[in-house]
Amino acid sequence: MSEPFVQSLFLVGIPGLEPALEAEALARGFRGVRRVPGGVEVDGDLAEAARANVSLRCAVRVLLRVAEFRAMHLAQLDKRSKKVPWGDWLRADVPVRVEAVCRRSKIYVNKAAVQRVSGGLEAAGIGVSRDGAVSVKVRIDDDLCTISLDTTGEALHRRGHKEFVGKAPMRENMAAGFLHEIGFDGSQTLVDPMCGSGTFVLEAAEIAAGLVPGRSRGFAFEQMVGGVRPQVAGGSGQKPGLRFYGYDRSDGAIRGAVANA
């Protein structure tokens, strides 16, 4: 008899900035932190997924891995999908959408995989819709099927408190990763001579103030069973004496950066 599957989290990262995400996860006290290509794996359940969404600056999104099994053909995928305890995480009143990627496997048609997993969800009383609020992600690689729930929703670089977005903006989680890689810890002055909408400057100021990145937005986990928004400790004001400077040749960009601040 096979052992029951143990839930875990996959913190999707920005390619090349996985070390910054790994360091942040360790600093935030996550357990079983393991850096892998494309992100970081950590131990945890939905409660830890919620904490990761609210508190991590360098992550792109947080996936809760809920099932993993071999699927050599569609009938096997159909059967195993119906054994997943979907009701442990998904609500009957919140439709979900299913996305699938098949690589190097006997099951090679993404749409067929979506149909079989959708059938398992519907058999459990979970509605499936193209615009569902929660995404069920199916990955079949070398005949190994991994099913994850996207606990994030909109990508985490959308902090929820930025009013102005300039042309070709720097994403907030990328800025946070770069700041980590240059050794910024919130105690240094930062100058950005091409600040655009102010992403680097504002991200640095938030780090210095200890503000929680996900404080101003909602998440997909809040529409899941037991998805409670955690209270994550953070600062509330700027450290005395610190200054962050942003410059740009565009007056419009400067006005936008000021509005974002």
Side-chain angles (χ1 to χ4, degrees):
M1 183 176 180
S2 60
E3 296 183 1
F5 180 78
V6 178
Q7 299 174 60
S8 63
L9 305 181
F10 181 62
L11 312 177
V12 180
I14 296 170
L17 290 176
E18 294 95 340
L21 178 56
E22 177 188 29
E24 185 182 25
L26 287 168
R28 283 289 182 179
F30 287 93
R31 305 181 310 277
V33 178
R34 305 171 294 278
R35 190 203 317 170
V36 297
V40 172
E41 297 174 336
V42 300
D43 299 338
D45 53 11
L46 184 60
E48 283 290 83
R51 187 167 74 90
N53 275 295
V54 173
S55 66
L56 294 179
R57 289 191 171 276
C58 297
V60 175
R61 62 181 62 252
V62 180
L63 304 181
L64 174 64
R65 289 175 170 166
V66 298
E68 189 173 85
F69 50 83
R70 289 285 171 187
M72 311 298 288
H73 48 77
L74 290 172
Q76 192 173 24
L77 178 60
D78 180 75
K79 181 179 180 180
R80 294 301 300 268
S81 295
K82 290 176 179 175
K83 291 184 177 181
V84 176
W86 300 108
D88 288 356
W89 312 283
L90 301 176
R91 291 163 36 184
D93 63 327
V94 178
V96 302
R97 65 184 184 277
V98 181
E99 303 168 355
V101 175
C102 305
R103 298 177 64 249
R104 302 177 299 178
S105 300
K106 292 181 174 62
I107 299 174
Y108 56 88
V109 180
N110 296 345
K111 186 176 180 180
V114 168
Q115 290 173 341
R116 297 316 189 275
V117 175
S118 295
L121 285 157
E122 290 168 342
I126 309 298
V128 178
S129 170
R130 289 184 178 180
D131 57 353
V134 177
S135 175
V136 177
K137 296 186 179 294
V138 182
R139 179 180 177 86
I140 305 177
D141 193 343
D142 197 19
D143 299 320
L144 180 65
C145 177
T146 303
I147 298 179
S148 305
L149 306 180
D150 180 3
T151 66
T152 300
E154 277 196 305
L156 289 173
H157 74 275
R158 297 183 179 275
R159 305 283 198 232
H161 42 258
K162 192 172 185 179
E163 297 180 7
F164 172 80
V165 178
K167 296 180 179 179
M170 170 71 68
R171 292 188 173 185
E172 284 76 359
N173 46 10
M174 183 176 287
F178 286 148
L179 287 168
H180 177 274
E181 291 299 279
I182 64 173
F184 181 83
D185 62 8
S187 64
Q188 306 96 335
T189 296
L190 183 135
V191 179
D192 185 352
M194 298 175 287
C195 70
S197 58
T199 303
F200 265 119
V201 176
L202 296 175
E203 200 70 15
E206 289 204 1
I207 292 171
L211 296 176
V212 177
R215 65 189 183 278
S216 302
R217 55 162 288 173
F219 300 93
F221 71 77
E222 295 175 281
Q223 300 191 61
M224 297 170 64
V225 174
V228 178
R229 191 181 186 92
Q231 295 296 321
V232 178
S236 59
Q238 188 172 351
K239 293 182 179 180
L242 288 179
R243 295 291 184 270
F244 304 95
Y245 301 94
Y247 302 89
D248 200 281
R249 64 184 296 179
S250 168
D251 291 339
I254 293 296
R255 287 193 297 270
V258 171
N260 288 336

